Amino acid sequence: MQGPFSTRRGAGLYLLAWLLLAIVFAGLIVAASGAAWTDGLLFTVPVTLLYACATGFSSYYLCRAYPLNERSAISVLLVFAVAAVVASLAWTALCIGWNHACAAIAMSAPLQAAIFGLGVILYALCAVAHYLAFEFQRARAAERRELEAALTSQDAELRMLRTQIDPHFLFNSLNSISALTSIDPARARDMTLQLADFFRHSLGLEASRKVTLEAEAAMAMHFVAIEKVRFGARLNIEQALDAGALDCLLPPMILQPLIENAIKHGIAHLTGGGTIRIAARRAGSILKIVVENDIDNDPPAAASHGIGLANVRQRLAATYGNEASIHWTREAHQFRVALSLPFHTTERQACA
């Protein structure tokens, strides 16, 4: 069933509103004719509720047939004027017939005219209410489409940013394997196997789906294992992940670019190697991650951070907006990257 009776709650509220109108109508009848309240209610309640049903369906389907954005104002006004007059005439006739049957009040000509005018007004109000409901539904639909478009755009942006990571990382890894093949084939083979294992684990990670910090840290260690084949004892890693932070969800492959950046622009320039330190802790509703690495006190003039840090910043902005941030600082012998993002443990919290 459509119209005002499409749901039980809607039908109940609609009839309750008309019942209140019937009581007000009875009060006017009592004041105008001097009838008792019981007679006034006996007269108004049945005819008003019946008029409510007829008017509700009639105005609903006319509003559907004459939408404001597709019909001219003159045609809409003309159609509803005719419909209101016809409905009010029928209601006035019904009131007269019902009054003859129950002999509740004295039906004078002025009272009949007042009933007719009230019927026109009620029909018009009902039509306006339907148009407002339609406009509200259309606004809600437009808002929903806009939200879906924004989510689709965000998902596409996240996928694009994610696709920057794999080719960039693969390019650097293949260069390392190429360099090892001529000086240490065994290590080149080991690095190739480690690289295949890393990509096998990362294939199931979707750009828009989040993973726990524990799983993300495990993926980061796969990447470190690949690089340790090349750097050996020169590359050291330290982790300090609070147990309370391991369940937090975050975008996949968010740590790998930071570690790659630390190796390429930090450890690789140190003759004696260095250490990368990863720490994570929960601070209320915020997850704080810090990645630090040793650096050369006098780095090459052309040194840069490539796309890694910029990629992480863009992904955080696309996923969390202003709720997440990334900052990096450089000291005498250390480079430090600090991430701050909302602490969510379920996808529902992240979507909210």
Side-chain angles (χ1 to χ4, degrees):
M1 185 178 292
Q2 294 180 321
F5 299 98
S6 56
T7 64
R8 290 184 178 180
R9 180 179 299 177
L13 292 175
Y14 181 78
L15 292 177
L16 178 61
W18 278 87
L19 181 60
L20 295 176
L21 287 174
I23 296 174
V24 174
F25 185 23
L28 296 176
I29 293 293
V30 170
S33 65
W37 266 99
T38 53
D39 292 334
L41 292 173
L42 176 63
F43 171 72
T44 60
V45 171
V47 293
T48 302
L49 293 181
L50 186 59
Y51 188 60
C53 298
T55 301
F57 284 107
S58 172
S59 59
Y60 171 80
Y61 285 108
L62 281 178
C63 289
R64 289 282 301 271
Y66 290 85
L68 295 177
N69 59 331
E70 297 179 9
R71 302 280 186 163
S72 66
I74 296 178
S75 63
V76 171
L77 289 175
L78 182 61
V79 166
F80 277 95
V82 172
V85 169
V86 172
S88 188
L89 285 173
W91 187 42
T92 304
L94 175 65
C95 290
I96 295 173
W98 174 245
N99 187 55
H100 281 308
C102 63
I105 62 174
M107 182 73 70
S108 62
L111 182 57
Q112 295 178 16
I115 292 175
F116 172 81
L118 181 61
V120 172
I121 294 173
L122 291 178
Y123 192 96
L125 289 176
C126 195
V128 170
H130 282 308
Y131 272 128
L132 288 176
F134 288 152
E135 289 300 315
F136 177 74
Q137 292 175 0
R138 190 171 66 173
R140 286 281 300 273
E143 182 180 354
R144 185 165 52 250
R145 288 193 299 269
E146 183 178 353
L147 179 60
E148 291 174 352
L151 291 175
T152 301
S153 175
Q154 182 191 60
D155 184 64
E157 182 179 2
L158 288 172
R159 291 181 184 278
M160 182 272 293
L161 292 170
R162 169 68 191 279
T163 56
Q164 289 181 354
I165 298 175
D166 293 343
H168 182 258
F169 162 53
L170 183 60
F171 174 78
N172 292 335
S173 299
L174 290 178
N175 277 342
S176 299
I177 293 173
S178 176
L180 287 173
T181 52
S182 58
I183 59 176
D184 195 339
R187 289 171 63 196
R189 181 177 180 277
D190 189 18
M191 192 171 184
T192 302
L193 294 175
Q194 292 279 6
L195 183 63
D197 186 57
F198 176 84
F199 275 105
R200 184 172 66 252
H201 282 85
S202 66
L203 280 177
L205 299 179
E206 298 181 6
S208 57
R209 184 175 65 88
K210 294 182 176 61
V211 298
T212 62
L213 174 62
E214 185 176 15
E216 178 66 10
M219 283 295 299
M221 290 305 99
H222 278 294
F223 170 74
V224 171
I226 295 172
E227 295 295 339
K228 282 187 71 69
V229 175
R230 178 162 60 121
F231 289 95
R234 292 176 58 205
L235 174 60
N236 299 299
I237 189 82
E238 295 179 0
Q239 286 193 90
L241 308 179
D242 287 352
L246 295 178
D247 291 335
C248 181
L249 296 177
L250 65 164
M253 299 289 284
I254 205 75
L255 290 179
Q256 184 272 335
L258 302 181
I259 298 174
E260 183 179 5
N261 182 79
I263 295 173
K264 182 178 180 181
H265 302 289
I267 308 302
H269 296 291
L270 298 174
T271 304
T275 302
I276 299 175
R277 290 166 286 275
I278 305 173
R281 64 183 179 88
R282 178 180 182 179
S285 60
I286 301 297
L287 174 68
K288 294 183 178 294
I289 301 175
V290 175
V291 179
E292 298 176 338
N293 63 276
D294 299 327
I295 57 173
D296 190 350
N297 192 32
D298 187 20
S304 67
H305 302 298
I307 70 169
L309 297 180
N311 182 282
V312 172
R313 168 170 283 173
Q314 289 176 308
R315 292 179 68 197
L316 289 177
T319 305
Y320 301 106
N322 296 327
E323 296 184 65
S325 63
I326 176 174
H327 302 283
W328 53 85
T329 56
R330 182 185 184 88
E331 300 177 357
H333 299 283
Q334 191 176 81
F335 188 80
R336 185 174 188 269
V337 181
L339 278 71
S340 178
L341 57 149
F343 190 92
H344 297 148
T345 56
T346 64
E347 287 288 351
R348 179 176 299 178
Q349 289 179 326
C351 292

mmCIF file of all heavy atoms in Angstrom, residues 21-63:
data_model
loop_
_atom_site.group_PDB
_atom_site.id
_atom_site.type_symbol
_atom_site.label_atom_id
_atom_site.label_comp_id
_atom_site.label_asym_id
_atom_site.label_seq_id
_atom_site.Cartn_x
_atom_site.Cartn_y
_atom_site.Cartn_z
ATOM 1 N N LEU A 21 -7.608 16.896 14.679
ATOM 2 C CA LEU A 21 -8.388 17.868 13.905
ATOM 3 C C LEU A 21 -9.887 17.668 14.123
ATOM 4 O O LEU A 21 -10.659 18.643 14.185
ATOM 5 C CB LEU A 21 -8.047 17.736 12.417
ATOM 6 C CG LEU A 21 -6.677 18.254 11.971
ATOM 7 C CD1 LEU A 21 -6.429 17.922 10.510
ATOM 8 C CD2 LEU A 21 -6.584 19.764 12.187
ATOM 9 N N ALA A 22 -10.304 16.413 14.240
ATOM 10 C CA ALA A 22 -11.727 16.121 14.484
ATOM 11 C C ALA A 22 -12.174 16.673 15.828
ATOM 12 O O ALA A 22 -13.293 17.195 15.968
ATOM 13 C CB ALA A 22 -11.969 14.616 14.424
ATOM 14 N N ILE A 23 -11.306 16.603 16.844
ATOM 15 C CA ILE A 23 -11.655 17.141 18.159
ATOM 16 C C ILE A 23 -11.771 18.658 18.105
ATOM 17 O O ILE A 23 -12.685 19.262 18.685
ATOM 18 C CB ILE A 23 -10.603 16.692 19.198
ATOM 19 C CG1 ILE A 23 -10.632 15.172 19.354
ATOM 20 C CG2 ILE A 23 -10.834 17.382 20.535
ATOM 21 C CD1 ILE A 23 -9.540 14.619 20.247
ATOM 22 N N VAL A 24 -10.804 19.287 17.374
ATOM 23 C CA VAL A 24 -10.884 20.739 17.203
ATOM 24 C C VAL A 24 -12.157 21.120 16.445
ATOM 25 O O VAL A 24 -12.848 22.089 16.786
ATOM 26 C CB VAL A 24 -9.632 21.259 16.466
ATOM 27 C CG1 VAL A 24 -9.767 22.746 16.147
ATOM 28 C CG2 VAL A 24 -8.378 21.010 17.299
ATOM 29 N N PHE A 25 -12.450 20.336 15.398
ATOM 30 C CA PHE A 25 -13.667 20.557 14.607
ATOM 31 C C PHE A 25 -14.904 20.440 15.501
ATOM 32 O O PHE A 25 -15.856 21.229 15.410
ATOM 33 C CB PHE A 25 -13.698 19.542 13.469
ATOM 34 C CG PHE A 25 -14.831 19.722 12.500
ATOM 35 C CD1 PHE A 25 -15.477 20.955 12.342
ATOM 36 C CD2 PHE A 25 -15.279 18.645 11.734
ATOM 37 C CE1 PHE A 25 -16.524 21.096 11.449
ATOM 38 C CE2 PHE A 25 -16.320 18.786 10.844
ATOM 39 C CZ PHE A 25 -16.953 20.019 10.708
ATOM 40 N N ALA A 26 -14.913 19.456 16.402
ATOM 41 C CA ALA A 26 -16.040 19.283 17.321
ATOM 42 C C ALA A 26 -16.180 20.488 18.236
ATOM 43 O O ALA A 26 -17.302 20.923 18.546
ATOM 44 C CB ALA A 26 -15.840 18.009 18.140
ATOM 45 N N GLY A 27 -15.045 21.033 18.682
ATOM 46 C CA GLY A 27 -15.103 22.221 19.518
ATOM 47 C C GLY A 27 -15.718 23.395 18.793
ATOM 48 O O GLY A 27 -16.512 24.159 19.378
ATOM 49 N N LEU A 28 -15.383 23.542 17.499
ATOM 50 C CA LEU A 28 -15.980 24.620 16.711
ATOM 51 C C LEU A 28 -17.480 24.399 16.531
ATOM 52 O O LEU A 28 -18.280 25.359 16.579
ATOM 53 C CB LEU A 28 -15.287 24.710 15.348
ATOM 54 C CG LEU A 28 -13.795 25.086 15.374
ATOM 55 C CD1 LEU A 28 -13.222 25.034 13.964
ATOM 56 C CD2 LEU A 28 -13.603 26.473 15.977
ATOM 57 N N ILE A 29 -17.877 23.152 16.315
ATOM 58 C CA ILE A 29 -19.297 22.833 16.161
ATOM 59 C C ILE A 29 -20.060 23.148 17.446
ATOM 60 O O ILE A 29 -21.165 23.741 17.436
ATOM 61 C CB ILE A 29 -19.475 21.350 15.773
ATOM 62 C CG1 ILE A 29 -18.922 21.094 14.360
ATOM 63 C CG2 ILE A 29 -20.937 20.935 15.866
ATOM 64 C CD1 ILE A 29 -19.680 21.771 13.258
ATOM 65 N N VAL A 30 -19.465 22.765 18.578
ATOM 66 C CA VAL A 30 -20.109 23.017 19.869
ATOM 67 C C VAL A 30 -20.258 24.523 20.103
ATOM 68 O O VAL A 30 -21.301 25.003 20.558
ATOM 69 C CB VAL A 30 -19.294 22.362 21.002
ATOM 70 C CG1 VAL A 30 -19.812 22.817 22.372
ATOM 71 C CG2 VAL A 30 -19.370 20.842 20.903
ATOM 72 N N ALA A 31 -19.218 25.282 19.776
ATOM 73 C CA ALA A 31 -19.272 26.722 19.977
ATOM 74 C C ALA A 31 -20.276 27.393 19.046
ATOM 75 O O ALA A 31 -20.944 28.370 19.418
ATOM 76 C CB ALA A 31 -17.879 27.319 19.769
ATOM 77 N N ALA A 32 -20.404 26.870 17.819
ATOM 78 C CA ALA A 32 -21.283 27.502 16.834
ATOM 79 C C ALA A 32 -22.743 27.114 17.012
ATOM 80 O O ALA A 32 -23.645 27.930 16.795
ATOM 81 C CB ALA A 32 -20.813 27.136 15.426
ATOM 82 N N SER A 33 -23.001 25.858 17.404
ATOM 83 C CA SER A 33 -24.395 25.392 17.459
ATOM 84 C C SER A 33 -24.917 25.197 18.865
ATOM 85 O O SER A 33 -26.121 24.993 19.059
ATOM 86 C CB SER A 33 -24.514 24.062 16.690
ATOM 87 O OG SER A 33 -23.751 23.056 17.342
ATOM 88 N N GLY A 34 -24.043 25.220 19.850
ATOM 89 C CA GLY A 34 -24.477 25.000 21.217
ATOM 90 C C GLY A 34 -24.776 23.552 21.526
ATOM 91 O O GLY A 34 -25.401 23.261 22.561
ATOM 92 N N ALA A 35 -24.346 22.620 20.684
ATOM 93 C CA ALA A 35 -24.581 21.198 20.919
ATOM 94 C C ALA A 35 -23.675 20.693 22.029
ATOM 95 O O ALA A 35 -22.678 21.322 22.397
ATOM 96 C CB ALA A 35 -24.338 20.410 19.631
ATOM 97 N N ALA A 36 -24.004 19.535 22.556
ATOM 98 C CA ALA A 36 -23.171 18.909 23.580
ATOM 99 C C ALA A 36 -21.895 18.349 22.948
ATOM 100 O O ALA A 36 -21.852 18.038 21.752
ATOM 101 C CB ALA A 36 -23.961 17.795 24.273
ATOM 102 N N TRP A 37 -20.852 18.191 23.801
ATOM 103 C CA TRP A 37 -19.575 17.665 23.284
ATOM 104 C C TRP A 37 -19.732 16.252 22.730
ATOM 105 O O TRP A 37 -19.103 15.916 21.726
ATOM 106 C CB TRP A 37 -18.530 17.682 24.406
ATOM 107 C CG TRP A 37 -17.684 18.924 24.394
ATOM 108 C CD1 TRP A 37 -17.832 20.033 25.171
ATOM 109 C CD2 TRP A 37 -16.573 19.176 23.533
ATOM 110 N NE1 TRP A 37 -16.878 20.964 24.856
ATOM 111 C CE2 TRP A 37 -16.075 20.460 23.838
ATOM 112 C CE3 TRP A 37 -15.947 18.451 22.520
ATOM 113 C CZ2 TRP A 37 -14.998 21.032 23.194
ATOM 114 C CZ3 TRP A 37 -14.846 19.020 21.872
ATOM 115 C CH2 TRP A 37 -14.383 20.290 22.208
ATOM 116 N N THR A 38 -20.541 15.455 23.370
ATOM 117 C CA THR A 38 -20.728 14.075 22.867
ATOM 118 C C THR A 38 -21.355 14.087 21.475
ATOM 119 O O THR A 38 -20.958 13.314 20.594
ATOM 120 C CB THR A 38 -21.612 13.274 23.825
ATOM 121 O OG1 THR A 38 -22.840 13.997 24.071
ATOM 122 C CG2 THR A 38 -20.889 13.037 25.148
ATOM 123 N N ASP A 39 -22.339 14.963 21.273
ATOM 124 C CA ASP A 39 -22.953 15.065 19.948
ATOM 125 C C ASP A 39 -21.968 15.625 18.934
ATOM 126 O O ASP A 39 -21.927 15.189 17.771
ATOM 127 C CB ASP A 39 -24.191 15.961 20.019
ATOM 128 C CG ASP A 39 -25.321 15.341 20.820
ATOM 129 O OD1 ASP A 39 -25.363 14.094 20.888
ATOM 130 O OD2 ASP A 39 -26.147 16.099 21.376
ATOM 131 N N GLY A 40 -21.160 16.592 19.386
ATOM 132 C CA GLY A 40 -20.172 17.159 18.470
ATOM 133 C C GLY A 40 -19.151 16.136 18.028
ATOM 134 O O GLY A 40 -18.808 16.037 16.836
ATOM 135 N N LEU A 41 -18.652 15.340 18.976
ATOM 136 C CA LEU A 41 -17.681 14.299 18.625
ATOM 137 C C LEU A 41 -18.317 13.207 17.781
ATOM 138 O O LEU A 41 -17.685 12.667 16.861
ATOM 139 C CB LEU A 41 -17.084 13.700 19.903
ATOM 140 C CG LEU A 41 -16.177 14.627 20.715
ATOM 141 C CD1 LEU A 41 -15.781 13.977 22.027
ATOM 142 C CD2 LEU A 41 -14.923 14.984 19.911
ATOM 143 N N LEU A 42 -19.568 12.836 18.109
ATOM 144 C CA LEU A 42 -20.270 11.829 17.312
ATOM 145 C C LEU A 42 -20.412 12.277 15.869
ATOM 146 O O LEU A 42 -20.332 11.454 14.943
ATOM 147 C CB LEU A 42 -21.651 11.569 17.926
ATOM 148 C CG LEU A 42 -22.572 10.598 17.170
ATOM 149 C CD1 LEU A 42 -21.955 9.202 17.114
ATOM 150 C CD2 LEU A 42 -23.955 10.561 17.796
ATOM 151 N N PHE A 43 -20.574 13.568 15.672
ATOM 152 C CA PHE A 43 -20.745 14.092 14.322
ATOM 153 C C PHE A 43 -19.402 14.213 13.588
ATOM 154 O O PHE A 43 -19.272 13.830 12.422
ATOM 155 C CB PHE A 43 -21.429 15.460 14.374
ATOM 156 C CG PHE A 43 -21.443 16.164 13.041
ATOM 157 C CD1 PHE A 43 -22.253 15.738 12.005
ATOM 158 C CD2 PHE A 43 -20.620 17.266 12.821
ATOM 159 C CE1 PHE A 43 -22.266 16.388 10.780
ATOM 160 C CE2 PHE A 43 -20.618 17.922 11.601
ATOM 161 C CZ PHE A 43 -21.438 17.490 10.573
ATOM 162 N N THR A 44 -18.357 14.713 14.254
ATOM 163 C CA THR A 44 -17.115 15.066 13.546
ATOM 164 C C THR A 44 -16.143 13.904 13.362
ATOM 165 O O THR A 44 -15.490 13.804 12.324
ATOM 166 C CB THR A 44 -16.385 16.198 14.295
ATOM 167 O OG1 THR A 44 -16.069 15.762 15.632
ATOM 168 C CG2 THR A 44 -17.243 17.449 14.347
ATOM 169 N N VAL A 45 -16.021 13.041 14.363
ATOM 170 C CA VAL A 45 -14.961 12.018 14.295
ATOM 171 C C VAL A 45 -15.134 11.064 13.109
ATOM 172 O O VAL A 45 -14.204 10.863 12.320
ATOM 173 C CB VAL A 45 -14.883 11.240 15.635
ATOM 174 C CG1 VAL A 45 -13.934 10.038 15.489
ATOM 175 C CG2 VAL A 45 -14.391 12.163 16.746
ATOM 176 N N PRO A 46 -16.316 10.447 12.906
ATOM 177 C CA PRO A 46 -16.435 9.517 11.777
ATOM 178 C C PRO A 46 -16.207 10.187 10.412
ATOM 179 O O PRO A 46 -15.485 9.657 9.563
ATOM 180 C CB PRO A 46 -17.859 8.971 11.910
ATOM 181 C CG PRO A 46 -18.236 9.203 13.332
ATOM 182 C CD PRO A 46 -17.557 10.479 13.710
ATOM 183 N N VAL A 47 -16.872 11.352 10.192
ATOM 184 C CA VAL A 47 -16.749 11.978 8.877
ATOM 185 C C VAL A 47 -15.341 12.518 8.651
ATOM 186 O O VAL A 47 -14.834 12.507 7.514
ATOM 187 C CB VAL A 47 -17.796 13.116 8.733
ATOM 188 C CG1 VAL A 47 -19.205 12.550 8.713
ATOM 189 C CG2 VAL A 47 -17.654 14.156 9.835
ATOM 190 N N THR A 48 -14.664 12.976 9.707
ATOM 191 C CA THR A 48 -13.316 13.507 9.545
ATOM 192 C C THR A 48 -12.320 12.404 9.215
ATOM 193 O O THR A 48 -11.462 12.555 8.336
ATOM 194 C CB THR A 48 -12.874 14.253 10.824
ATOM 195 O OG1 THR A 48 -13.784 15.303 11.099
ATOM 196 C CG2 THR A 48 -11.481 14.839 10.653
ATOM 197 N N LEU A 49 -12.418 11.276 9.914
ATOM 198 C CA LEU A 49 -11.506 10.161 9.624
ATOM 199 C C LEU A 49 -11.749 9.594 8.235
ATOM 200 O O LEU A 49 -10.801 9.202 7.530
ATOM 201 C CB LEU A 49 -11.657 9.075 10.689
ATOM 202 C CG LEU A 49 -11.180 9.457 12.112
ATOM 203 C CD1 LEU A 49 -11.361 8.272 13.052
ATOM 204 C CD2 LEU A 49 -9.730 9.907 12.095
ATOM 205 N N LEU A 50 -13.011 9.519 7.823
ATOM 206 C CA LEU A 50 -13.306 9.054 6.472
ATOM 207 C C LEU A 50 -12.747 10.030 5.436
ATOM 208 O O LEU A 50 -12.168 9.617 4.421
ATOM 209 C CB LEU A 50 -14.819 8.894 6.297
ATOM 210 C CG LEU A 50 -15.287 8.281 4.975
ATOM 211 C CD1 LEU A 50 -14.695 6.888 4.788
ATOM 212 C CD2 LEU A 50 -16.815 8.221 4.916
ATOM 213 N N TYR A 51 -12.881 11.310 5.705
ATOM 214 C CA TYR A 51 -12.335 12.328 4.797
ATOM 215 C C TYR A 51 -10.804 12.267 4.780
ATOM 216 O O TYR A 51 -10.174 12.519 3.749
ATOM 217 C CB TYR A 51 -12.800 13.707 5.238
ATOM 218 C CG TYR A 51 -12.468 14.824 4.277
ATOM 219 C CD1 TYR A 51 -12.945 14.808 2.975
ATOM 220 C CD2 TYR A 51 -11.691 15.907 4.672
ATOM 221 C CE1 TYR A 51 -12.661 15.830 2.093
ATOM 222 C CE2 TYR A 51 -11.389 16.943 3.800
ATOM 223 C CZ TYR A 51 -11.877 16.905 2.506
ATOM 224 O OH TYR A 51 -11.585 17.933 1.628
ATOM 225 N N ALA A 52 -10.240 11.912 5.912
ATOM 226 C CA ALA A 52 -8.788 11.784 5.993
ATOM 227 C C ALA A 52 -8.278 10.702 5.046
ATOM 228 O O ALA A 52 -7.288 10.889 4.323
ATOM 229 C CB ALA A 52 -8.369 11.475 7.425
ATOM 230 N N CYS A 53 -8.954 9.567 5.036
ATOM 231 C CA CYS A 53 -8.540 8.473 4.146
ATOM 232 C C CYS A 53 -8.694 8.867 2.683
ATOM 233 O O CYS A 53 -7.764 8.681 1.877
ATOM 234 C CB CYS A 53 -9.362 7.223 4.453
ATOM 235 S SG CYS A 53 -9.140 6.575 6.121
ATOM 236 N N ALA A 54 -9.848 9.426 2.337
ATOM 237 C CA ALA A 54 -10.094 9.800 0.941
ATOM 238 C C ALA A 54 -9.138 10.907 0.497
ATOM 239 O O ALA A 54 -8.557 10.854 -0.594
ATOM 240 C CB ALA A 54 -11.548 10.245 0.775
ATOM 241 N N THR A 55 -8.969 11.910 1.345
ATOM 242 C CA THR A 55 -8.092 13.025 0.999
ATOM 243 C C THR A 55 -6.637 12.595 0.915
ATOM 244 O O THR A 55 -5.881 13.030 0.044
ATOM 245 C CB THR A 55 -8.234 14.147 2.064
ATOM 246 O OG1 THR A 55 -9.582 14.576 2.106
ATOM 247 C CG2 THR A 55 -7.341 15.314 1.740
ATOM 248 N N GLY A 56 -6.221 11.721 1.844
ATOM 249 C CA GLY A 56 -4.836 11.269 1.848
ATOM 250 C C GLY A 56 -4.451 10.586 0.550
ATOM 251 O O GLY A 56 -3.433 10.923 -0.069
ATOM 252 N N PHE A 57 -5.268 9.631 0.107
ATOM 253 C CA PHE A 57 -4.951 8.923 -1.131
ATOM 254 C C PHE A 57 -5.108 9.832 -2.348
ATOM 255 O O PHE A 57 -4.286 9.799 -3.268
ATOM 256 C CB PHE A 57 -5.838 7.684 -1.272
ATOM 257 C CG PHE A 57 -5.415 6.553 -0.395
ATOM 258 C CD1 PHE A 57 -6.142 6.203 0.726
ATOM 259 C CD2 PHE A 57 -4.272 5.828 -0.694
ATOM 260 C CE1 PHE A 57 -5.754 5.161 1.545
ATOM 261 C CE2 PHE A 57 -3.871 4.776 0.113
ATOM 262 C CZ PHE A 57 -4.615 4.447 1.239
ATOM 263 N N SER A 58 -6.167 10.632 -2.382
ATOM 264 C CA SER A 58 -6.401 11.500 -3.532
ATOM 265 C C SER A 58 -5.255 12.493 -3.725
ATOM 266 O O SER A 58 -4.694 12.618 -4.814
ATOM 267 C CB SER A 58 -7.715 12.258 -3.347
ATOM 268 O OG SER A 58 -7.878 13.244 -4.355
ATOM 269 N N SER A 59 -4.880 13.196 -2.663
ATOM 270 C CA SER A 59 -3.811 14.190 -2.788
ATOM 271 C C SER A 59 -2.462 13.535 -3.039
ATOM 272 O O SER A 59 -1.615 14.081 -3.761
ATOM 273 C CB SER A 59 -3.749 15.054 -1.520
ATOM 274 O OG SER A 59 -3.517 14.250 -0.379
ATOM 275 N N TYR A 60 -2.250 12.339 -2.475
ATOM 276 C CA TYR A 60 -0.972 11.640 -2.687
ATOM 277 C C TYR A 60 -0.764 11.328 -4.168
ATOM 278 O O TYR A 60 0.292 11.618 -4.737
ATOM 279 C CB TYR A 60 -0.946 10.364 -1.856
ATOM 280 C CG TYR A 60 0.236 9.464 -2.158
ATOM 281 C CD1 TYR A 60 1.485 9.734 -1.625
ATOM 282 C CD2 TYR A 60 0.090 8.349 -2.981
ATOM 283 C CE1 TYR A 60 2.570 8.921 -1.906
ATOM 284 C CE2 TYR A 60 1.163 7.528 -3.261
ATOM 285 C CZ TYR A 60 2.406 7.818 -2.724
ATOM 286 O OH TYR A 60 3.468 7.015 -3.015
ATOM 287 N N TYR A 61 -1.780 10.723 -4.786
ATOM 288 C CA TYR A 61 -1.610 10.337 -6.183
ATOM 289 C C TYR A 61 -1.590 11.555 -7.120
ATOM 290 O O TYR A 61 -0.934 11.531 -8.161
ATOM 291 C CB TYR A 61 -2.696 9.347 -6.590
ATOM 292 C CG TYR A 61 -2.453 7.970 -6.024
ATOM 293 C CD1 TYR A 61 -3.241 7.470 -4.989
ATOM 294 C CD2 TYR A 61 -1.415 7.173 -6.503
ATOM 295 C CE1 TYR A 61 -3.009 6.213 -4.450
ATOM 296 C CE2 TYR A 61 -1.180 5.914 -5.967
ATOM 297 C CZ TYR A 61 -1.972 5.448 -4.945
ATOM 298 O OH TYR A 61 -1.726 4.213 -4.415
ATOM 299 N N LEU A 62 -2.299 12.613 -6.765
ATOM 300 C CA LEU A 62 -2.212 13.833 -7.565
ATOM 301 C C LEU A 62 -0.828 14.467 -7.454
ATOM 302 O O LEU A 62 -0.290 14.982 -8.437
ATOM 303 C CB LEU A 62 -3.286 14.835 -7.120
ATOM 304 C CG LEU A 62 -4.706 14.589 -7.629
ATOM 305 C CD1 LEU A 62 -5.652 15.636 -7.071
ATOM 306 C CD2 LEU A 62 -4.743 14.597 -9.164
ATOM 307 N N CYS A 63 -0.240 14.424 -6.258
ATOM 308 C CA CYS A 63 1.136 14.938 -6.091
ATOM 309 C C CYS A 63 2.126 14.111 -6.894
ATOM 310 O O CYS A 63 3.083 14.650 -7.458
ATOM 311 C CB CYS A 63 1.519 14.931 -4.609
ATOM 312 S SG CYS A 63 0.660 16.169 -3.610
#
